[in-house]
Amino acid sequence: MVGGGIAGATAALHLAELGIKVDLIEKKDSLVSGPPICHLHAGGNLYREISVEQCLDLLHQSIESVRLYPHTLNRRPTLIVVPNSDGGDPEALLPRLEQIRSAYQQLVDQDPRNCVLGQPEQYFKLYSKAELVALKHHKQPLKPESYDEWVIPFAQHADLDSIKYPVVAVNEYGWSVFRIAASAMLVLENSPQCHVRVNTRLVNMNWADDQWHLCLEQHQAGEVTKVEQSYDYVINACGFETGIVDDLAQAPRVRMVEFKAAYVTKWQSNTQQWPEVIFHGPRGTENGMAQLTPYANSVFQLHGMTKDITLFDDGLVCNSSVSSQPKLPSRLEHKITTGWSESARIERSNKAIKHMSRFVPSYDSAVEFGTPLFGAQQIPGKDETLRAADVSFAGQHYARVEVVKGSSALEAVKKIAEHWHLASNVDLSVEDAHPHVLSLTEEQVVAKAKLLAKQRGYPQELAEVYGY
């Protein structure tokens, strides 16, 4: 398994739980430390442009991912808002929401363990302007549970005259990347079936005598050791660098890579529990989508789909005819390898705050609160709107886990195990197939997640449980 992000770590965990011996090769010193994950996408409601089929795929994959990683959710609703500055019609969202709710009901009917997003009949709720105005006069309880209780802060602080109606509240929950990392690491680091090789880089590979022969470089204490190792199968789970391994394997593939960033802010004057809020807008324009993602202690993550906030000039690139690896501009590669300058971090964070305050005026008092969550995301093929993707196969015993959203990772490795006939127990339930990860307690996961957040330079609030 080459690559220890959410795709590689989840795939290694699944195979190890099935009793398959796996070497997990990761060039960094820790697992699941790639692009930011903040949202489960259980229904794909953030993306108006994707098909219903992709939404239903994301729903199914998200439910299975929650069952695999039960201590990673932040259970609070998401509000989908269409501002007056956007050309969309919120009524157009409703038929798709009904289809998703119906599909969720069927999944719960098939297996009650799929009921991880609340009751299907309560998957979403609509709000008129009059209903929101009425909620402005309510006081939010300390532990909100109902949609109405979660919507109170939005009703009190959002500019209700600047948006179209209805506003949709939907049970698309938050997903903690630090608690995902903690869950995977707690299992893999103690698994007799998985050898975790961090600080290890793949430098060459070739197929001979019915095996893959890999040349690895292990970096430790300033020294580099070369290791030759042979494997029956190779799974490429290298995220935005998947094309590098494709080139080594001589398995060409068309793909894109996009660099994006989200910004960590603190709204000190806030005393309420917010839902996530999505203000739709045309991508890449000054009115691009604004996303407010809440965490503990009034820490919020912001996206702004403009080129001076979350998106970047030349941040979406395709591969060339001579390589399967798309080439990002050097200034963006530098951000990935070296990090951000303080001036760039502050400038973009403040622009994100200003963008959000267009819709929530009192948010202008928020301040930037540390290192952005950033990274590059692969998109297999040529459709930049693709969000539900999983796996592709090429050549001899070579597969690529090509997830765009982290919730697709389990689906990808299940397809690999079935395609290669790696185990006879592939039809087990998520719970029965993963006894070690399901034995973790919330306390274990949160403690490890807080440690990871601190080590990676992020506020511990991003690792804490938020919601009900």
Side-chain angles (χ1 to χ4, degrees), residues 1 3-17 24 26 30-33 37 65 68-72 175-196 198 406 409-410 434 436-441 444-446 448-449 452 456:
M1 186 73 61
I6 185 171
T10 299
L13 185 152
H14 177 71
L15 295 176
E17 291 271 49
L24 177 56
E26 167 55 45
S30 185
L31 303 181
V32 194
S33 57
I37 297 169
S65 296
L68 176 64
Y69 295 124
H71 303 305
T72 58
W175 210 23
S176 169
V177 66
F178 294 104
R179 301 206 302 275
I180 298 167
S183 300
M185 291 172 71
L186 285 168
V187 174
L188 291 174
E189 289 173 349
N190 294 288
S191 171
Q193 296 300 120
C194 183
H195 181 195
V196 179
V198 293
L410 179 58
H434 305 95
H436 293 93
V437 70
L438 268 297
S439 70
L440 297 174
T441 66
Q444 287 176 296
V445 172
V446 172
K448 178 76 167 179
L452 290 173
R456 297 174 185 179

Side-chain angles (χ1 to χ4, degrees), residues 205-282:
M205 60 189 293
N206 68 284
W207 175 262
D209 302 322
D210 293 329
Q211 280 195 314
W212 282 105
H213 304 277
L214 273 57
C215 178
L216 309 174
E217 285 184 351
Q218 296 180 336
H219 296 252
Q220 191 168 12
E223 296 185 358
V224 179
T225 304
K226 286 199 172 183
V227 177
E228 302 283 343
Q229 190 73 42
S230 298
Y231 298 96
D232 297 314
Y233 302 88
V234 170
I235 300 174
N236 176 357
C238 288
F240 85 98
E241 293 181 313
T242 297
I244 295 175
V245 180
D246 277 345
D247 289 347
L248 294 176
Q250 300 182 5
R253 175 76 159 138
V254 174
R255 67 166 47 80
M256 294 180 287
V257 160
E258 184 170 29
F259 182 91
K260 294 189 289 188
Y263 303 89
V264 183
T265 63
K266 189 173 179 68
W267 189 12
Q268 191 68 55
S269 62
N270 173 66
T271 59
Q272 296 170 296
Q273 301 289 304
W274 275 72
E276 183 162 24
V277 187
I278 308 299
F279 296 93
H280 274 310

Side-chain angles (χ1 to χ4, degrees), residues 119-228:
Q119 294 302 316
E121 63 271 17
Q122 297 173 349
Y123 177 65
F124 71 93
K125 182 177 179 179
L126 307 180
Y127 285 91
S128 66
K129 184 175 183 180
E131 288 169 325
L132 291 179
V133 169
L135 286 173
K136 290 180 69 170
H137 307 290
H138 289 227
K139 182 179 180 180
Q140 187 184 49
L142 290 176
K143 294 183 178 181
E145 294 185 2
S146 69
Y147 279 128
D148 286 359
E149 291 170 349
W150 278 104
V151 169
I152 288 169
F154 173 83
Q156 293 175 342
H157 290 274
D159 181 356
L160 301 182
D161 293 326
S162 69
I163 61 178
K164 304 175 185 180
Y165 295 90
V167 167
V168 178
V170 59
N171 273 346
E172 281 210 27
Y173 293 147
W175 210 23
S176 169
V177 66
F178 294 104
R179 301 206 302 275
I180 298 167
S183 300
M185 291 172 71
L186 285 168
V187 174
L188 291 174
E189 289 173 349
N190 294 288
S191 171
Q193 296 300 120
C194 183
H195 181 195
V196 179
R197 296 176 179 262
V198 293
N199 297 310
T200 302
R201 184 183 296 271
L202 171 66
V203 293
N204 204 358
M205 60 189 293
N206 68 284
W207 175 262
D209 302 322
D210 293 329
Q211 280 195 314
W212 282 105
H213 304 277
L214 273 57
C215 178
L216 309 174
E217 285 184 351
Q218 296 180 336
H219 296 252
Q220 191 168 12
E223 296 185 358
V224 179
T225 304
K226 286 199 172 183
V227 177
E228 302 283 343

Side-chain angles (χ1 to χ4, degrees), residues 369-388:
F369 200 57
T371 307
L373 291 147
F374 64 96
Q377 176 185 63
Q378 70 164 325
I379 307 172
K382 295 182 177 180
D383 179 8
E384 65 185 73
T385 69
L386 180 68
R387 292 297 177 266

